[in-house]
Amino acid sequence: MTFTPQTITMNQLTEIDRVRAKFIDRIRECELDLNSSQIQNIFEAEKDIAKKRKFIDDRTDLSVLRLKLETVVLEKIAIRLKYFEDDLNEGIDDLKKSIKSVNKTVEILTTIKNITGIIARILVIL
């Protein structure tokens, strides 16, 4: 998958990510509930072994799928990092040069601002 800015607008992508984050949070809450002592006790008391096993399997599946949803966010960051790789490398190199010239505070501040601007562009869609 490559980054193509024309595929979807930033606003649409931001809204999609917001919805996904909301679902991830809600799923995580369910996972916490499913791991609570109250639920654990109910299933430990269950006499039907198949039900116990199904509960464990389904609870595990829920966790795995939530992790996959979260991974999509990381993949998107990786795609954006790759897209801005040259700009980010150049900005970091400029910052290192500015830091070596300690007396040039304005230059250091400018290069920091340049790098944070690039990072902000990477993260703007998250």
Side-chain angles (χ1 to χ4, degrees):
M1 180 176 186
T2 58
F3 175 74
T4 54
Q6 297 81 14
T7 305
I8 193 165
T9 68
M10 290 286 205
N11 289 338
Q12 290 170 320
L13 200 48
T14 301
E15 183 57 30
I16 290 166
D17 284 336
R18 195 178 354 258
V19 169
R20 183 176 51 230
K22 181 180 172 184
F23 280 117
I24 288 171
D25 289 344
R26 292 182 69 206
I27 292 168
R28 190 176 288 118
E29 288 172 13
C30 290
E31 285 179 271
L32 289 172
D33 291 340
L34 291 172
N35 286 298
S36 71
S37 59
Q38 180 183 12
I39 299 295
Q40 285 292 118
N41 291 339
I42 290 170
F43 278 93
E44 284 177 15
E46 178 63 52
K47 295 190 187 324
D48 186 343
I49 301 296
K51 277 187 184 176
K52 285 183 182 184
R53 188 76 223 146
K54 178 124 176 75
F55 168 71
I56 293 169
D57 290 346
D58 289 349
R59 184 178 60 183
T60 302
D61 288 346
L62 182 65
S63 296
V64 168
L65 291 174
R66 179 193 42 85
L67 288 170
K68 285 184 180 182
L69 282 175
E70 290 176 331
T71 301
V72 171
V73 172
L74 296 176
E75 288 171 353
K76 189 182 306 175
I77 291 172
I79 291 167
R80 299 284 295 179
L81 278 170
K82 186 65 180 164
Y83 183 77
F84 288 106
E85 181 179 20
D86 292 339
D87 292 339
L88 193 53
N89 280 326
E90 184 179 324
I92 292 169
D93 290 343
D94 289 346
L95 180 58
K96 285 183 176 188
K97 289 176 193 170
S98 296
I99 290 170
K100 285 182 181 178
S101 323
V102 178
N103 296 329
K104 298 181 181 178
T105 56
V106 173
E107 186 177 320
I108 291 171
L109 294 174
T110 302
T111 54
I112 290 171
K113 184 69 174 167
N114 290 344
I115 290 174
T116 57
I118 294 166
I119 294 170
R121 286 186 288 169
I122 292 167
L123 298 176
V124 72
I125 61 169
L126 299 179

